[in-house]
Amino acid sequence: AVVSTQSTGVRELARRNDIPLQEVMVRNDSPCGSTIGPIISANTAVRTVDLGCPQLSMHSIREMGGAEDPYHAVRLYSAFYEQFGAIDAATRDDGACDE
């Protein structure tokens, strides 16, 4: 569950703070677990980016988490609360960043 302008904002936030991201997309015809993100996005007007820290075998026997992943997640979440307002204000409707 991702709104494209929000995804652009999170990518920009990670870029500015040198935080690595791993983006995963699941084919819509592939059965997999779900999170509350798609439910909120589908039923409300809330702009959504579904973020999380990888965990060993959370959704797949092949899914792995790294020792530094929680550190990067905390940095991203902290940066979100501190800086996302400015990045969001600079992001136009077409997803391009004014800065």
Side-chain angles (χ1 to χ4, degrees):
V2 176
V3 175
S4 63
T5 54
Q6 296 307 102
S7 178
T8 300
V10 170
R11 283 190 201 106
E12 179 63 13
L13 185 68
R15 184 193 68 76
R16 289 183 184 190
N17 291 279
D18 197 30
I19 301 169
L21 294 179
Q22 179 181 359
E23 297 185 46
V24 177
M25 292 183 124
V26 178
R27 294 183 353 216
N28 63 1
D29 65 341
S30 176
C32 69
S34 185
T35 64
I36 195 164
I39 297 167
I40 290 173
S41 182
N43 295 309
T44 68
V46 175
R47 297 181 298 167
T48 305
V49 177
D50 198 357
L51 299 171
C53 197
Q55 297 177 24
L56 177 63
S57 302
M58 182 174 176
H59 292 114
S60 165
I61 60 170
R62 293 173 192 87
E63 188 167 4
M64 299 292 289
E68 294 183 6
D69 289 339
Y71 168 73
H72 294 307
V74 168
R75 287 183 55 224
L76 181 65
Y77 303 151
S78 296
F80 178 87
Y81 285 109
E82 294 168 3
Q83 304 168 25
F84 191 76
I87 291 173
D88 190 44
T91 305
R92 297 189 311 258
D93 288 341
D94 64 3
C97 193
D98 290 334
E99 295 181 12

